[in-house]
Structure formats: structure tokens, C-alpha cells
Amino acid sequence: MDRSRAARGALAAGAAAFLIAVAVASQAPGPRPWALHLPGFLPGPARSFVMALLAGGVALLAFDFLRTAPTHNPGEAPHVREASSQRGAKRRAARHQARRSAPGAASRIPGWSAWLLLLPWVWLLWKLETRTRFLGDGTVWLQNIQTANPNPFSEPLSAAAWAAYARFLRGAGLPIDPVTAGLLPILCGLVAAALFWGIACEITPKNGSRVIALVVLGTMGLVQLYFGYIESYPTVSVAILAYLWLGLRRARGADHPLWPAIALAVAMACHLSCAFLAPSYLYLLLREKQSWMKRVALALVPPAAAAALFVLLGYPPSRWLGAFRIAARAVESGHEAALYAKPYAAISLDHAWDVLNAVLLALPVPALLLLAAVVSGTARDGKATGTNLFGDPAAIFLAVAALPGFLLAAALVLPVAPAQDWDLTSILLLPLAVFGVKAGFSIPKVPMRGARGVGIAALGAGALLSFVLVNANEESGLRRYETLVGPGAKVTAYARAYGNELLATYDVGRKDYQRAALHAQRALDAEPTNPRYWVKKGAALYELGRYDEAIPALQEGIRRGPARDDAYYDLGNCLERQKRHAEAVTNYREAIRLAEPRPDYLNNLGVALYNVGEKDSARVLWTQVVQRWPWYVLSRRALMEHFGGADTARVTPAPG
């Protein structure tokens, strides 16, 4: 079997194996094959659609492999084969010239009109935006920008971009909610599409199909980041794509080496982990023909510019060393040990399985193309094939960018569920994805067009849509996340607790307090020492009217975390409902002492004071609330009811 046929066989076999694995994992979706089980959570029509795309892609690749390839007579003289090849080339050139000179050729659609395709792309990103915020830390980021307090963690420039966008929304009089916040990732997707095209033009031979390369890049699983995904990683991925594009251009001698240096500095400022790209920039400098002094100066530009950005963004060096705390944004004081918990060792079959899942989720088709390139021997036998992948500066640049990212992804074992931190892993694997496309499109005698090109495009579309459609469907996303942190998931106690806390928060947003109490209890069972989970449970029980159960849960939360104002507030609400007004006053006052001024805290203290007979104090409090927060109607209503000429009999207004 010749090497081109071996490559086509690897494509067909790999695609078939992927389809079979997806079909099996989707029959009874469990937590372990988290890159493969996605169609199992979709409604029937959506599941059939993505499976049809995957099956269609496999069928086309199988047809491409099985069809009869042109053969040559072994005894035919080389000059005869060469003449035949030249005649074929002349016929193709004649057909091309005939098409160009045909009537109407001059009125072809102009090239710039292809940019109009960005309109349906943006519409698709908006239409299928994620409806749940379980993956990553979307809930945390949304809350932080709503309160104008985006924490930079290890992503200072990304946090600054979100803060600027939030200020824009406030200045425009728009609410900051999942819909408006999701527009920033969609904008990142618009920029990413343009960068995908630029990269496709750099990594695809002129006689190859750049459109197919664009489709492969645009259907990687990590493109989920642009479907309204509220996190730092949409901006980080755009910065990485910009660096890769500029680096590829420099690898062929275009532009000035300062441009990829600036792009690398911006990427590192967006996320500290982007320092893994530094070796690839050093490779570009090694190829420069400038003096060593100039190259050393250029090598210092990215770290110096990134450090300057950190300082300008208020991100001092003392915070750089604490970047790993990103995995435990919400860990209470005294519970930092959970930060370093690991479900298994970095060198283990379990972790290797998670790394494989990450690859199959973020870059299934690029990985398949890389496999085909390895099978074909593209990288190792340039004389035999006429194409030596590692004789190409662009390929070496991408390989040097990909290897550290892959090693970092393989070494990183975080305490949260691996499927939840897929976004961090995906940006580490992004250069590997581009390298995989470059390798696949460099296989000699295997151009990615025709049935082969359509096949890999269909396979990528099916893989991406299975991920996107799950997250775009509220119930599908909910069921999948419950599976990822539920029974059978090999995760740390911290990951199980944190995941169920996210579910409890989501339940409260939907006013499903029964399930909120269930998920809060599961979080508590996983990590009973965390006061936050006791408070979550107590708050849910309060909403269900189960005050006798809520009070001891809240008291335990206060005992374990006495600095939590929400625990005192919720306890005061329970006591007020039980007409234990004096005790409620004490707890409301403690909540107010610990928190920033809040109208609901002050209003409910006024309710409790009124009911213990301190009517003047209640009146003063309600008046202050109305003056400071004129939109808060409960205090205005209390003033009208009790001091506006209405009956002032002793009643118990409902706490706000």
C-alpha cells in the first residue's frame, strides 16, 4: 500500500472509530467518556442530525479510501509516465482557461463578497449561544462583571476587557445579563473567523482547498468558546490565534518580528499560561538574519511588554505566583487544602484518558489529520514524498508552539472535574490543532478536497454541533453537568461539592428550591466542613418554608464561617417568620455590620424592629432606604402601610 493510500485509510479508519465510540458512549451517557457522550443528552431530532453528519463524513472518507486509485503499469518507462502526467496537466490548464474565458466569467462574484459569510456565522453564534453556565466559571464571571468587580485571577487583560465591556453596557443603559454579556464572546468569534482564514491561507498549499481548511478550523470543539461563553478564554483564544497567524507570516519572511512579539505579550497578559508560546517565538528569532544583539533585544520584548501591561492593569508580581489559585476561586478561608486535591496522579491511565477526552472534544478532526500525516510518513521522508513537513519553517514554528502546550495540558491535574475545565485545556491545545491541520493538508497526493474534503468537514461539523447543541439546550446541559459531577464520576470531593453548588445556584435562579436543597445537600455531603454549603442548604430550606430545618443549618454555617453576612441575613429571615423578632433583629444587625449597605438587609431589619415595638426606628430605616434606593418598593410600601394613615396594628410584613 502506498503512503497516500495509507493516509486515506487512516482518515477513514480513525473517523469510523470516532463514530463508533460516539454511538456507544451516547447510548448510556456516563461521566468518563465526556468528549464522546454528547449526542446522548440531545433530544431525538438533534441527536439524529449530528449522528447523520458524523455518519455522512465517515461514509465519504470510506468511499474515498475504497474507490479505485489511478495506477501505472510497473513496466512503463519513467519518461512515458512523465509525458502522461504532463498531458494531464495541460488538459487541466486548458479546462481552467476555458472556464475563465467562458461567457459570464467577467461577471463572477467579487472576492470581497466572501466576507459577507461572517453575517450568517455571527447569527449562528447568537442563535446557538450557551444557555447554561456550568462549564468553566461562567457564573462567577457573570456575577463579577455585574458587580463591577471582575477578578483578574491569572487573566488580567481578559478581566480588563470584560470590565470595559461592562462599562460600555452600563453607559448604553443596557442590563448586564447572560444575553448582553454573551455578545462579547460572539464578537471574539467574529474576529476568530477572520484569523482562521488568515491561518488557513498560511498553512494550506496553494493548490489545496483553503476553504476546507477554514471549515476544519471553524468546526473545532474549542469554537464553543464563541457561542456566548462568558469567561476569559474567548479573548485568550483570539490572542493566541493572532500570535499564531503573525508567527506563520514571519516564518515565511513577511512582516517585522516585532509584530509576533507584541502579539505574544498580549496573549500572556490575557492569560499567564500563554507563556508556553515563548519557545516558538525564540525559534522565529533563531531564523532571523539580524545581529545577536538585535535578536536578544527582540527576545526581551514579550516579557517586558507583558510585565508593563500587568503593572498598568494593577496586577503586581506578588499575584503572578498565585495563578494556580484559579482552580479554587470560591474556596473559603481554611479550606485551601481542597485546592491541591487531585483525583489521581498526573502519570496514570485515568489522567491519560482525560487528556484523550480533551483532544477529542477540542480538536477531533485536526487530531485525525495529524494521525493521517504520521501514518503517511509526511514528516520523516521528504525525498520520497517530495514534502518534508519539518523542512517547512511554518510547520516547525507550529510544532514548537504545540509541544509545550500539550505537555502542560498533560501535566495539569486540577481539583475540578476535567470536563468543567475543558476551556483551559483547549487553549493549551490550540497550537496543536493548527499544527494538525497543517500536517494533514501537507500529505502528498492527498489533497483535502472533493469527497475527502466534504467528509472531514461533515465530521467536524457533527462533532462541534453535538457540543454546541447540548450547551444551547437548557435541559440537555443540565443533565450532562449532573452526570459529570454525579455518582460514578471520578472526581475530588471539592469538584463534586463545587459542581453541585453551581447546580444549586442555577436551581435558585429558576426558583426550583426543591432541587436547590437537593444539590446543596449533595455539596454538603461531599465537603461538610465548608460553611458555604451549609448556608446554601439553609437558604433553600427557608424558601421552602421549612424553617425548623433551615435554622440549624444556618447556625452551623455561622459556626464554621462567622464572617458570612448572608448566613446571618437568612437566619434572621427564618427567625422573623417564626415570630422570634428580637432574635431576628440581632442577626439582621450582624449581617449589616459585615456587609456593604444593602436595601434588603436594612428593610428587613426595619420589619423586625417594627414587630418588637420600635416603630420609630423602623420608620427611620425605611425612610433611609427609600431615599438611598428609590427603586426599592418594599420599604416605600411599608411606609405607606404603617405611617401613611393606614392601620398601624402589629403585623408581620413578609421579609424582602
Side-chain angles (χ1 to χ4, degrees):
M1 181 185 293
D2 64 34
R3 293 185 177 181
S4 64
R5 186 164 174 77
R8 291 188 287 122
L11 282 173
F18 181 70
L19 173 63
I20 293 170
V22 168
V24 171
S26 299
Q27 288 300 311
R32 297 296 284 155
W34 46 270
L36 302 169
H37 65 190
L38 292 158
F41 297 100
L42 291 172
R47 183 187 311 175
S48 299
F49 178 63
V50 297
M51 292 303 294
L53 280 173
L54 293 173
V58 171
L60 287 170
L61 292 173
F63 167 76
D64 174 65
F65 172 68
L66 295 173
R67 66 182 175 178
T68 303
T71 58
H72 299 292
N73 184 351
E76 189 177 44
H79 70 275
V80 175
R81 290 198 299 269
E82 183 178 353
S84 175
S85 176
Q86 290 175 351
R87 287 195 298 271
K90 289 179 179 179
R91 285 195 297 269
R92 288 191 295 271
R95 286 196 298 269
H96 178 67
Q97 182 61 34
R99 284 195 298 268
R100 292 187 61 183
S101 60
S107 60
R108 284 169 43 188
I109 298 175
W112 60 263
S113 62
W115 292 101
L116 296 176
L117 293 175
L118 290 175
L119 296 177
W121 171 244
V122 170
W123 178 85
L124 189 67
L125 294 176
W126 173 75
K127 191 68 176 178
L128 297 180
E129 68 173 342
T130 182
R131 298 294 192 274
T132 55
R133 311 293 164 192
F134 301 133
L135 298 180
D137 287 297
T139 302
V140 175
W141 277 82
L142 181 60
Q143 290 174 348
N144 286 343
I145 62 175
Q146 286 173 335
T147 57
N149 185 36
N151 195 322
F153 306 124
S154 57
E155 310 109 325
L157 188 55
S158 295
W162 273 107
Y165 179 64
R167 287 194 296 271
F168 166 77
L169 291 178
R170 291 190 187 94
L174 297 172
I176 300 176
D177 56 28
V179 175
T180 57
L183 293 177
L184 180 59
I186 291 174
L187 177 61
C188 290
L190 179 66
V191 177
L195 291 170
F196 283 148
W197 176 248
I199 291 172
C201 292
E202 295 295 329
I203 64 177
T204 307
K206 291 184 178 180
N207 60 345
S209 176
R210 290 175 174 173
V211 172
I212 296 298
L214 172 65
V215 172
V216 172
L217 291 170
T219 55
M220 297 184 295
L222 59 86
V223 173
Q224 169 70 71
L225 295 173
Y226 308 127
F227 286 82
Y229 193 85
I230 302 174
E231 253 275 20
S232 64
Y233 297 109
T235 54
V236 177
S237 63
V238 168
I240 294 176
L241 288 171
Y243 168 73
L244 294 177
W245 175 58
L246 291 169
L248 286 167
R249 289 177 58 83
R250 187 57 199 162
R252 65 174 170 85
D255 303 332
H256 191 279
L258 190 60
W259 291 114
I262 294 173
L264 178 57
V266 170
M268 289 192 295
C270 283
H271 200 290
L272 288 176
S273 67
C274 291
F276 79 88
L277 295 167
S280 62
Y281 180 65
L282 294 178
Y283 165 74
L284 293 178
L285 293 182
L286 287 175
R287 298 187 67 251
E288 293 293 330
K289 297 180 179 179
Q290 302 181 39
S291 67
W292 278 102
M293 290 293 292
K294 288 184 178 180
R295 281 187 277 182
V296 169
L298 286 169
L300 295 175
V301 170
L309 283 171
F310 291 155
V311 173
L312 289 173
L313 295 169
Y315 194 74
S318 59
R319 304 195 65 173
W320 306 356
L321 301 178
F324 188 70
R325 292 183 178 274
I326 187 174
R329 294 173 173 88
V331 173
E332 294 286 342
S333 176
H335 298 271
E336 290 85 352
L339 170 64
Y340 302 104
K342 297 180 179 180
Y344 33 71
I347 301 177
S348 64
L349 290 177
D350 286 318
H351 184 54
W353 176 244
D354 282 334
V355 174
L356 178 61
N357 270 287
V359 170
L360 293 176
L361 182 67
L363 50 141
V365 173
L368 189 60
L369 291 171
L370 183 58
L371 173 66
V374 171
V375 170
S376 72
T378 300
R380 66 175 182 268
D381 195 354
K383 292 182 180 179
T385 63
T387 301
N388 186 349
L389 188 62
F390 287 118
D392 182 355
I396 299 175
F397 165 73
L398 290 174
V400 177
L403 183 60
F406 177 78
L407 293 177
L408 185 55
L412 200 58
V413 183
L414 296 175
V416 296
Q420 184 171 344
D421 243 350
W422 76 278
D423 43 17
L424 172 59
T425 308
S426 70
I427 66 164
L428 298 176
L429 296 175
L430 179 51
L432 178 63
V434 178
F435 176 67
V437 178
K438 167 68 176 174
F441 278 70
S442 300
I443 301 173
K445 301 180 184 179
V446 187
M448 297 299 164
R449 54 175 180 259
R452 189 180 308 122
V454 175
I456 62 173
L459 197 69
L464 174 62
L465 281 176
S466 63
F467 192 20
V468 168
L469 291 175
V470 165
N471 293 322
N473 183 293
E474 200 165 358
E475 290 305 318
S476 296
L478 174 61
R479 288 194 297 114
R480 179 174 184 253
Y481 192 69
E482 285 183 317
T483 300
L484 294 174
V485 297
K490 198 166 186 177
V491 296
T492 62
Y494 169 74
R496 198 179 307 280
Y498 180 58
N500 278 284
E501 182 194 18
L502 287 180
L503 289 168
T505 302
Y506 172 78
D507 296 329
V508 169
R510 296 203 304 178
K511 300 189 183 303
D512 187 349
Y513 299 112
Q514 192 69 44
R515 291 192 65 80
L518 171 66
H519 288 127
Q521 183 61 56
R522 288 180 179 175
L524 196 54
D525 291 340
E527 198 175 286
T529 60
N530 196 319
R532 190 171 66 252
Y533 304 144
W534 287 99
V535 176
K536 283 275 186 183
K537 176 183 176 181
L541 292 172
Y542 163 75
E543 295 292 351
L544 291 171
R546 294 157 59 178
Y547 309 125
D548 290 335
E549 299 172 70
I551 288 173
L554 292 166
Q555 289 173 333
E556 182 65 15
I558 290 171
R559 187 183 73 81
R560 293 180 179 275
R564 296 193 62 93
D565 60 278
D566 56 340
Y568 288 101
Y569 174 70
D570 291 333
L571 180 57
N573 287 342
C574 290
L575 295 168
E576 182 63 22
R577 288 292 191 178
Q578 289 194 329
K579 301 187 184 301
R580 295 160 64 178
H581 308 302
E583 295 175 76
V585 167
T586 301
N587 282 278
Y588 284 140
R589 282 177 169 158
E590 185 63 17
I592 292 168
R593 186 185 70 82
L594 293 171
E596 296 291 328
R598 292 184 50 168
D600 49 346
Y601 284 23
L602 294 169
N603 175 79
N604 288 11
L605 174 59
V607 171
L609 288 171
Y610 185 90
N611 285 319
V612 296
E614 298 184 27
K615 299 181 180 180
D616 289 340
S617 297
R619 182 174 187 172
V620 169
L621 273 175
W622 288 333
T623 301
Q624 289 176 349
V625 171
V626 169
Q627 290 174 345
R628 185 166 183 174
W629 297 281
W631 49 266
Y632 194 79
V633 298
L634 292 181
S635 293
R636 186 181 301 277
R637 189 180 304 158
L639 285 172
M640 291 295 295
E641 180 179 353
H642 301 299
F643 301 101
D647 183 12
T648 57
R650 194 174 199 182
V651 294
T652 305

